[in-house]
Amino acid sequence: MPAFEYEALDAKGKKSKGLITADSEVAARRELRGRSMAPLTIRHADQRAERRANSGTDRAAGFALGPSNLTNRQLMLITRQMASLIGAGMPIAETLGLIAQQGSKHHAKRILTAVRARVTEGEKLSTAMEGFPRSFPAVYRAMVAAGENTGGLGEVLARLADYLEKDEAVRSRVTGAMIYPAVLTTVALGVVTLLMTFIVPRIAEQFVGMGMDLPGLTQAMIAISEFLQVGWPFLLVGMIAVVVASLVLLRQEPVRRSFDAFLARIPALGSFLKQAESARFCRTMSILIESGSVLPDALRAARRAAGNLAFKDELGKVIQDVESGRGLSDSMRNRGWFPTLSLFMIAAGERSGALGEMFRRSADQLDQDVDRTISVGLNLLEPGIILVLGVVVVTIVLSIMLPIIQINTMALG
């Protein structure tokens, strides 16, 4: 039964919005009048949600119109709820309707109601989700389809929810851990800016008035201070222009691919990125294979889940090798992206027929390695920031002290 989004006046003349299911727009208006409501506008929720989800104009514009797609956290919560309800035997359409009615945001309610309408009309859940690709990524839909084909949708959704919860936990942990360094950096930069724009110029005037030859470090600091006082608008505009240009260029696939490949070649950062991409790949493969997907289809879905375009290209070569009859572990070994331990575990899974389980164990190990790397990196970040800013402050103070020492030396001589 189709879903409609309506605006109507209640018996007290108050405008209200909501969703209603009916056979047609006429039936929806009749249903609203039966509730003592005067309908103002009625739109197909399915078409409206799909148009908003695919356009993404609200989000891109940056105005306070509200999001049109499901956020990562919303998708995580919805997936967990669907896993619990469907696993308990509740029909899919009834599950979607219940989740939509209980505490969902308006845009999430619209999307879920539209998906429910498609399911009610006979579409599979994964097919119904295809109308909202920004809310339900391709790899997500592939996993749901695998669960539908094997009859284990509830189990697959539970694994998906675990994966999304872990990803959200890591993201929240990194965000929370970055708050203190961000505040520290902002305060320190404010202090440095104050020194360079107010303190250094006042002291420089005194030294210049004496007609003395200033040390090179002091002259450099005075030159930087004068530039900041006069050229800060140009510096600000230049920084904004660089950021905007970078964002625009990175939207171009060739530029993004080259940039991703460059990041992967940086010694420390590259190793971490490869580790993180491998963990995501192994987790996705474990869910798909244990859900009954055949290897080539699982590889294609995992490739769509990859965030690094250079890694996607390498996975494309792996898919070609596998489809030509080559072993998966052998092809992965030649790519240079995957840790040795994971390759051994995957090779063992191929020989024993437990490939999904080996991918899962490899993903668990890689997740632990990624968490450990993040912890070490965050622990080193704070003292690193303090060290860098300490060097900057010491340099500024030294540039002020050198002329004073020079004056004292001249006076004593």
Side-chain angles (χ1 to χ4, degrees), residues 152-204:
L153 181 58
E155 183 180 355
V156 170
L157 288 172
R159 292 175 182 170
L160 260 174
D162 291 338
Y163 172 76
L164 293 172
E165 286 172 359
K166 180 180 286 291
D167 186 63
E168 180 67 20
V170 172
R171 184 179 291 109
S172 299
R173 180 185 170 197
V174 172
T175 302
M178 289 296 293
I179 292 177
Y180 179 70
V183 172
L184 177 64
T185 301
T186 302
V187 172
L189 289 177
V191 172
V192 171
T193 302
L194 180 65
L195 288 173
M196 294 297 294
T197 56
F198 292 98
I199 306 302
V200 172
R202 302 297 181 271
I203 297 177

Side-chain angles (χ1 to χ4, degrees), residues 196 200 204 214-228 395-396 398-400 402-403:
M196 294 297 294
V200 172
L214 298 177
L217 180 61
T218 305
Q219 294 180 19
M221 288 297 107
I222 293 175
I224 294 174
S225 175
E226 292 175 348
F227 171 76
L228 290 176
T395 302
I396 296 174
L398 186 60
S399 68
I400 297 173
L402 284 177

Side-chain angles (χ1 to χ4, degrees), residues 203-214 403-404 407 410:
I203 297 177
E205 290 177 359
Q206 303 298 322
F207 294 147
V208 172
M210 295 179 183
M212 60 181 297
D213 294 330
L214 298 177
I404 297 176
I407 293 173
M410 293 172 59

Side-chain angles (χ1 to χ4, degrees), residues 289-313:
I289 293 177
E290 290 183 335
S291 302
S293 294
V294 296
L295 184 57
D297 291 342
L299 286 170
R300 291 190 185 92
R303 182 176 182 269
R304 289 194 293 268
N308 188 292
L309 293 186
F311 183 61
K312 279 189 175 183
D313 292 341

Side-chain angles (χ1 to χ4, degrees), residues 13-178:
K14 184 179 179 180
K15 183 183 292 187
S16 61
K17 299 180 181 180
L19 291 162
I20 188 172
T21 55
D23 293 329
S24 64
E25 183 176 336
V26 175
R29 291 181 180 274
R30 188 183 304 115
E31 175 68 19
L32 289 173
R33 293 191 183 98
R35 300 180 185 180
S36 300
M37 301 179 70
L40 300 176
T41 59
I42 294 181
R43 309 180 186 87
H44 277 278
D46 190 354
Q47 297 174 358
R48 181 174 171 81
E50 180 175 355
R51 183 172 63 252
R52 286 172 59 88
N54 290 334
S55 65
T57 53
D58 292 352
R59 183 185 298 271
F63 297 115
L65 299 177
S68 59
N69 309 307
L70 297 178
T71 63
N72 292 333
R73 182 169 181 80
Q74 287 174 334
L75 183 60
M76 175 193 72
L77 294 175
I78 289 171
T79 303
R80 177 60 69 190
Q81 292 173 325
M82 287 195 299
S84 301
L85 296 175
I86 293 176
M90 183 177 288
I92 297 176
E94 188 176 346
T95 296
L96 292 169
L98 183 61
I99 297 173
Q101 294 298 326
Q102 292 186 350
S104 296
K105 298 293 185 180
H106 186 64
H107 68 281
K109 184 176 181 180
R110 182 190 300 114
I111 292 173
L112 290 174
T113 303
V115 173
R116 176 183 178 274
R118 293 186 171 195
V119 171
T120 305
E121 293 172 356
E123 292 185 4
K124 290 185 176 181
L125 178 60
S126 56
T127 305
M129 290 177 172
E130 289 179 359
F132 311 96
R134 292 179 180 270
S135 296
F136 304 101
V139 66
Y140 184 98
R141 301 194 305 269
M143 294 180 185
V144 172
E148 290 175 317
N149 293 334
T150 60
L153 181 58
E155 183 180 355
V156 170
L157 288 172
R159 292 175 182 170
L160 260 174
D162 291 338
Y163 172 76
L164 293 172
E165 286 172 359
K166 180 180 286 291
D167 186 63
E168 180 67 20
V170 172
R171 184 179 291 109
S172 299
R173 180 185 170 197
V174 172
T175 302
M178 289 296 293

